[in-house]
Amino acid sequence: MEDLSHVSLPGQGRANPFATVGHPVHGDAHVGRAEQLRIVRERVLEQPVAGATAIIGPPRIGKSSLAYHLFMRPNARVMYPRMLPVWMNVRTQGGIEKVLRRLVDDVWELIEEAAPDSVGDRRLVRARDRALAEGAPWIEVQVETQEFLRLVRRRDWRVVLVLDEFDAAREVFRDRPGTFQALREMAYNLDWNIGLVTTSRRELRDIVDMADPDESTFAGIFRSVFLTCFDDGDLTRLASRAANPPGPVDRLAELTGGHPYLASVLLDRVCSAGPPESPLAQAVERHAGPLPAEFHYYYRDLVDLLRADGRLRAILEVVLGPQLEVTPEDAQVLLQQGLLVVRGDTYQAFSLNFQHYLTTIGRGLGHWDNWMTVERRVRDLIESGFTERYGKDWEAGLRKARGPKVAPLLDKCSELRDRESRTYGDRASERLLDFTYPRDLYDLMASHWDVFGKLLGRDKAYWETRFALLAKVRNPMVHNRMGVVTPLEQSMFRTYCDELMAVLDRIDGAPAGA
C-alpha cells in the first residue's frame, strides 16, 4: 500500500502533513532515528541469528512508528523478501496461547502470499494444522508452534514478531506461568529462532517482575534501544515537512523539548492555519500561548505513569529539589529514558514547559512540603548543637565521644554522600546530615540528650513516639504510596509536623545561651 500522506486532493492546496498526528508514521513521514534504526535493523534482520530487541521510551515518543516503519511498511518486504513480519498489540491478546495461534496463522498467510507454491508443502501444512488444533493443552500448543517455526526457518524465512505495548504483558501474561520462558525460547533457540521485538514504556525487567518474578532470565537476551526526544538535527527534519527550509527551530525545541509528538501537535496547528510563514519560528510563536490542550493532556498522562511506577517523587526531587530520597541510579534511569536532560551543570525536565508543569505538581504536595521544612530545620538544629559541643569538625568529635553508638549511622550517611558525589559531581551535597532519615535524626539527638532534651522540652519516650510515626509515613509519601497510610496516621503526621515546627520556632526565637 503506497504512502499517500504527501498527496493533495483535487482542488486543494498541499495537504497538512501533520493532520494525522498521534498515529504511527512510516515511509516519507518517518524522520530521524537513523542510529536506532540501524541498530534494530542490523540486530533483527541482517545477522544469521535474529537478536531479541526491546524498543523503550516514554509515551508517544515514536516506538511503534519505528517498529512499523522498519518491519511493517509496504516497502519493508520488498527490501527483505524473506522476512515474515507479524504485528500484535499485547493489550488486545487473551494470553500466550492466543499469541502463538495468531503467530502461526499470520506467518502461514504471509508465506501463502509470498510463495503460493507452499500450499503443496505437506510437512509444513501438517505442522500448521497441529499448531492450530482446537482444544490442545498449553504445552502441546507450545511444542507444535516451535515445530512449525522450525520448518519455516529451515525454508530460509525470517519470522519477526513485534509485540507492541508490551507493558500490558504484566497483566495479560500473569495468569500463565512460563509465558516469558516460552517467548524467550522462540527467540533464543537456534532451531526456530525468530526476531522478537517489543515496544514498551518500561524496561523489560520491570515488566516481568510485575507479572512473574521467577522469569528473571527473559530480559537477558534482549538489547534495549531507548528512544528520547529529537536532537536539533532530527527536529529540523521534522519541521521541514511543514516548511522547507524551516529556518531556526530553537523556539520549537524550547516549547516541546524536541518531543516528536508534541512538536507534531504544534506543527499541525501551524499547518492547519494556512501556509506557514517564513521563517517557521514566527508561525510557531503564534501558537505558543496558550499551547494546544494536547500538551496538558500529555503531561497529565506522563505524570500518572510516573506516579504508578513510583518515579514521580524522584523526578520532582531531581528537577525541583531538595534531593532527599532520590538516588543517583534514579536520575540515570530518568536521563536514559529521556525524561531528564542535562543543561549546563544541572538536570532539567526534557522541556522547559514540562518543568513548569512539574513545579505546579510539586506545590500540591502539602504533607511533603511541611515535612521538608521540618526535616531541614531539625538537621540545622542538630548541626548547630554538635558544632557548639565539638567545633567545626563535629563529626570527628562525635565519633570519638560516641563511636560504637553512632559510627554505623555516620558511615551509612558518608557512603550515600560519596555515591552522590561520584554521580552528581559539583551538584552533590557535601553536608553529611542531608543523608539522614527521621529515625537517624532522633537517634542523633538521643545520643546527646543533655544538649537537645532541654531544647525540645520533653523526655526521650515522647519524641521517640513522634519520630517513629514520622518515619513510618515518610517512606510511603516519598514513593507515592499514601494508600497504605491510614487517615489517622496522616492526621497525626500533620499534627506532629506542626508541633515540631512550633518547637523549632520557639528555639530559634530564644535568646542566645537560653
Side-chain angles (χ1 to χ4, degrees), residues 109 120 351:
E109 286 189 7
S351 76

Side-chain angles (χ1 to χ4, degrees), residues 278-297:
S278 183
L280 183 63
Q282 295 176 9
V284 168
E285 191 62 43
R286 291 208 322 266
H287 298 272
L291 287 168
E294 284 86 349
F295 278 64
H296 177 80
Y297 301 151

Side-chain angles (χ1 to χ4, degrees), residues 18 31-33 229-241 246-264 267 280:
F18 298 97
V31 300
R33 309 296 192 200
C229 293
F230 281 170
D231 58 21
D232 285 347
D234 281 349
L235 189 60
T236 298
R237 283 184 275 276
L238 181 70
S240 68
R241 302 192 69 230
V249 295
D250 301 27
R251 184 59 170 152
L252 185 62
E254 179 183 348
L255 292 170
T256 68
H259 193 292
Y261 167 71
L262 297 177
S264 296
L267 291 170
L280 183 63

Side-chain angles (χ1 to χ4, degrees), residues 77 83-86 88 99-132 145 147-149 151-152 155 157-160:
R77 293 187 65 197
M83 177 178 67
L84 303 173
V86 176
M88 294 188 205
V99 168
L100 296 186
R101 292 178 184 279
R102 165 98 180 270
L103 175 62
V104 171
D105 204 26
D106 285 6
V107 165
W108 177 253
E109 286 189 7
L110 290 170
I111 291 175
E112 279 188 310
E113 176 187 322
D117 291 345
S118 296
V119 296
D121 189 333
R122 295 182 178 179
R123 191 174 180 189
L124 191 60
V125 171
R126 285 197 299 270
R128 178 208 63 184
D129 291 343
R130 288 195 299 270
L132 296 177
T145 299
E147 174 60 14
F148 174 75
L149 294 174
L151 295 176
V152 170
R155 284 149 179 77
W157 295 101
R158 172 66 57 91
V159 174
V160 176

